[in-house]
Amino acid sequence: MTIQKTYTMIKPDGVRNGHIGEIVNRFERAGLTVERMELGEVTAEQARENYKEHEGKPFYDGLISYITSGPVVKMVISGDGAVAKCRSLMGATNPAEAAPGTIRGDFGLIMDENVIHGSDSPESAEREIAIFFG
């Protein structure tokens, strides 16, 4: 058993459309633990730091604008293989390609507003937890 911590964030469209409870419930039903959860705003500085690998790409400015456009739910989630388990529950990045039963497959509408963000590795999780929770 490999207990990990990961970072997930319900994006502005997920909050706006009322999916917080169902999304958190899916993580808990999968045997994961929500260690920390906070409703709040993403600052421009946090957004730039979190998405710095995309700087210079055509979608970068829109991504920063979107993620800072409204409240988000920031979470630290832990459990056995938490990174991979959360990624599986979230589904493909593009909601059009996400399987039914995944968070993005059920709630995502378009690529630019795909409901949820999740760390893609233990190293990313550590970095992102530091960005959003200090």
Side-chain angles (χ1 to χ4, degrees), residues 17 21 93 120 133:
N17 293 324
T93 302
D120 61 5
F133 288 108

Side-chain angles (χ1 to χ4, degrees), residues 20 23 29 31-32 35 45 48 74-75 86-87 102 104 127 131:
I20 297 168
I23 291 171
R29 282 195 319 252
L32 297 164
E35 287 193 7
E45 181 181 334
R48 286 190 300 270
K74 309 167 197 178
M75 294 180 280
C86 283
R87 302 285 294 176
T102 65
R104 290 183 181 130
R127 181 180 69 81
I131 290 169

Side-chain angles (χ1 to χ4, degrees), residues 1-77:
M1 184 154 68
T2 305
I3 301 298
Q4 295 177 323
K5 288 186 182 186
T6 191
Y7 176 77
T8 62
M9 174 173 46
I10 303 173
K11 294 179 177 181
D13 60 307
V15 173
R16 181 177 61 246
N17 293 324
H19 300 306
I20 297 168
E22 176 58 28
I23 291 171
V24 171
N25 193 309
R26 288 182 186 204
F27 289 129
E28 291 179 330
R29 282 195 319 252
L32 297 164
T33 300
V34 178
E35 287 193 7
R36 188 164 179 187
M37 182 167 61
E38 176 183 302
L39 176 70
E41 305 285 331
V42 173
T43 67
E45 181 181 334
Q46 288 172 323
R48 286 190 300 270
E49 181 64 22
N50 192 54
Y51 294 113
K52 66 184 175 185
E53 70 272 12
H54 299 303
E55 190 171 2
K57 295 178 182 174
F59 60 86
Y60 178 77
D61 290 338
L63 176 60
I64 300 303
S65 177
Y66 162 66
I67 204 67
T68 60
S69 70
V72 300
V73 175
K74 309 167 197 178
M75 294 180 280
V76 176
I77 295 179

Side-chain angles (χ1 to χ4, degrees), residues 82-101:
V83 173
K85 195 175 282 188
C86 283
R87 302 285 294 176
S88 177
L89 290 167
M90 288 186 283
T93 302
N94 184 345
E97 299 170 359

